[in-house]
Amino acid sequence: MLLHLCTWAEVEARLEKSRGIIIPIGSTEQHGPNGLIGTDAICAEVFAKAVGEAADALVAPTIAVGMAQHHLGFSGSMTLRPSTLIAVIRDMVQSLRVHGFERFFFLNGHGGNVATVTAAFSEIYAEASLQPGLPNTPGLRCTLQNWYDAGAARQLSRELYGAQEGSHATPSEVSVTFHAYPEAIKQAVLDPPVAPSGRFTDAADYRRRFPDGRIGSNPGLASAADGKRIMDAVVPELASAYRAFVAAP
Ligand code: NI
């Protein structure tokens, strides 16, 4: 159930049953010639909603802007600095903590968020540990689950796209967004069909190395039908990961 479609009384009642919550986190950044700017936020959001239904879990509002400084060479991309994103995550967790939530399952759609989200968890734990005269808060636990790292997601992307999955603007993630928003499906010429691979530093470096925005991928292979297959395969795995996380002592 989505938190923003609940009343406060419903949230209070749910807290009697479970102290867990899913927080979708994505990014708003270019995804090549046919991928939507919101790809990472959309994927995190639709997976979180489906997992919330499958596991009867509460789902917080999506953190739709992430750490994406390297994409700013392309129109429409937005970023939070790592320090800003850490502050956003910390304040969201602490707000929910006030009400009694203790297990925070971050469902992530963007590789560029991983280091910052992990650092935010360290900040949150440090804040609990550093309170003078107070015991640590043993119930508080945060975890990060990238949907694309689920075993079923890896297996299906290998099967459907092989090496053409690449690492940015992948056919898997583009397929999921085409399934979620068929009205926004784009057609574009991809030249070359498989984008170059490599590393990058800042936004100018990224644009120079990857002129159309993709890294190593061929999102021309994406389809709404594949997106449905990926969701159907991955949601049960993420739901059981969530259940195990909340149930762990
Ligand atoms: Ni992405």
Side-chain angles (χ1 to χ4, degrees):
M1 178 177 274
L2 303 179
L3 178 76
H4 61 259
L5 298 185
C6 293
T7 65
W8 70 263
E10 287 174 315
V11 175
E12 193 172 81
R14 288 189 73 94
L15 274 163
E16 296 295 321
K17 292 192 302 176
S18 172
R19 305 251 156 173
I21 190 164
I22 298 170
I23 304 183
I25 178 165
S27 182
T28 299
E29 65 186 45
Q30 66 80 19
H31 270 74
N34 71 335
L36 310 180
I37 298 272
T39 296
D40 293 351
I42 291 166
C43 288
E45 186 162 277
V46 297
F47 272 110
K49 188 170 180 233
V51 171
E53 283 161 14
D56 189 27
L58 209 51
V59 179
T62 304
I63 304 176
V65 180
M67 212 305 286
Q69 58 79 18
H70 46 290
H71 292 292
L72 288 183
F74 298 86
S75 299
S77 299
M78 300 168 72
T79 192
L80 299 180
R81 293 160 197 267
S83 52
T84 311
L85 183 55
I86 287 171
V88 168
I89 291 170
R90 212 179 64 197
D91 286 358
M92 282 181 71
V93 166
Q94 298 296 13
S95 301
L96 293 165
R97 181 97 173 111
V98 167
H99 310 304
F101 289 98
E102 292 184 334
R103 301 288 165 103
F104 300 90
F105 188 91
F106 282 77
L107 188 35
N108 180 44
H110 174 49
N113 285 340
V114 172
T116 304
V117 173
T118 306
F121 292 171
S122 295
E123 286 280 356
I124 289 162
Y125 296 142
E127 213 163 334
S129 302
L130 285 167
Q131 291 190 49
L134 290 175
N136 293 348
T137 48
L140 175 65
R141 200 172 294 177
C142 302
T143 194
L144 176 66
Q145 169 74 58
N146 305 317
W147 73 262
Y148 48 83
D149 280 335
R154 293 257 174 222
Q155 190 186 325
L156 206 44
S157 86
R158 260 196 310 274
E159 194 181 312
L160 292 169
Y161 314 120
Q164 298 186 61
E165 170 76 353
S167 61
H168 180 66
T170 67
S172 290
E173 61 180 347
V174 172
S175 290
V176 170
T177 64
F178 284 0
H179 169 58
Y181 291 96
E183 70 274 26
I185 292 175
K186 313 289 181 185
Q187 307 292 340
V189 175
L190 300 175
D191 181 24
V194 179
S197 292
R199 302 184 70 79
F200 53 83
T201 56
D202 60 11
D205 184 53
Y206 187 110
R207 176 97 196 211
R208 205 163 40 238
R209 292 174 192 270
F210 311 108
D212 77 3
R214 299 171 291 145
I215 302 181
S217 64
N218 179 7
L221 302 174
S223 72
D226 284 0
K228 180 174 181 343
R229 268 187 79 182
I230 293 166
M231 288 212 62
D232 288 348
V234 172
V235 166
E237 183 179 331
L238 295 179
S240 74
Y242 173 80
R243 282 195 210 95
F245 172 66
V246 172

